[in-house]
Amino acid sequence: MTSSQAGEALRQAQQALASIAERAPQYLELSSRLANDARLASRHPSLLDGLAMNTALFRFAPGAAALLFAARRLLRVLRVLQTLLHEAQPVVIDEHLAAVGLTRQQVDADIQALSTAISQLTAIGTERAGQLASEGARLVGRLAGKGLRALRSRQPESA
């Protein structure tokens, strides 16, 4: 991946994450509403437990690694939501979606965009880690060479 390709991929990932982050409060409210709806509790207890656990731990933090961690957590929340949206009673789900201003299509589109952004960020991070490892190995080689030359210069010549 060239520098310009990495820059473009990073820009696209940031744009997707910013767009989804704008809807994060809606997703958190939807999660809360669904988790507290007694009509869903008897039919989908494990999904609601997973939803409550993931949203309780969700937060944004500064830094690339923290952003990737938050994006992955949000993706887990959205996938649980997506499963619930497809399995629960449509009337109940539509009521909650309308209350928070989201649609099923928006959830599906955000999952796709978030998956793509995570893949792009992971690829960029992997490539950069490889570059850093290579640069580090070259530096270690140069330092070892200097050390060996210095050691040889201090040893007496053997006849």
Side-chain angles (χ1 to χ4, degrees), residues 23-36 46-60 69-70 72-82 84 102:
R23 286 184 293 285
Q26 292 169 283
Y27 282 118
L28 291 172
E29 183 181 347
L30 177 61
S31 297
S32 177
R33 290 177 62 94
L34 293 172
N36 292 314
S46 62
L47 285 175
L48 294 175
D49 288 344
L51 189 60
M53 179 186 72
N54 280 313
T55 55
L57 297 173
F58 178 76
R59 65 185 175 276
F60 283 108
F69 178 77
R72 286 182 175 156
R73 181 167 300 285
L74 179 57
L75 183 60
R76 283 194 297 274
V77 169
L78 293 182
R79 284 188 174 148
V80 171
L81 276 173
Q82 184 182 46
L84 194 55
L102 291 171

Side-chain angles (χ1 to χ4, degrees), residues 9-158:
L10 181 59
R11 188 192 63 73
Q12 288 175 359
Q14 288 171 329
Q15 191 174 35
L17 291 172
S19 175
I20 295 167
E22 290 174 3
R23 286 184 293 285
Q26 292 169 283
Y27 282 118
L28 291 172
E29 183 181 347
L30 177 61
S31 297
S32 177
R33 290 177 62 94
L34 293 172
N36 292 314
D37 191 317
R39 297 172 292 180
L40 300 174
S42 62
R43 290 187 171 184
H44 309 284
S46 62
L47 285 175
L48 294 175
D49 288 344
L51 189 60
M53 179 186 72
N54 280 313
T55 55
L57 297 173
F58 178 76
R59 65 185 175 276
F60 283 108
L67 180 62
L68 190 55
F69 178 77
R72 286 182 175 156
R73 181 167 300 285
L74 179 57
L75 183 60
R76 283 194 297 274
V77 169
L78 293 182
R79 284 188 174 148
V80 171
L81 276 173
Q82 184 182 46
T83 301
L84 194 55
L85 296 180
H86 292 291
E87 292 183 7
Q89 303 93 322
V91 173
V92 175
I93 297 300
D94 290 341
E95 174 188 319
H96 290 296
L97 285 169
V100 299
L102 291 171
T103 65
R104 294 170 196 270
Q105 293 78 19
Q106 184 66 62
V107 174
D108 292 341
D110 284 346
I111 288 172
Q112 181 60 44
L114 193 54
S115 296
T116 300
I118 288 170
S119 294
Q120 290 169 323
L121 290 172
T122 301
I124 292 167
T126 300
E127 184 167 328
R128 186 63 185 137
Q131 290 169 348
L132 289 173
S134 179
E135 290 171 14
R138 280 193 293 272
L139 178 61
V140 166
R142 284 195 305 268
L143 290 174
K146 286 181 182 181
L148 286 172
R149 284 190 297 277
L151 184 61
R152 286 182 189 144
S153 71
R154 291 185 185 155
Q155 291 178 348
E157 299 260 344
S158 53

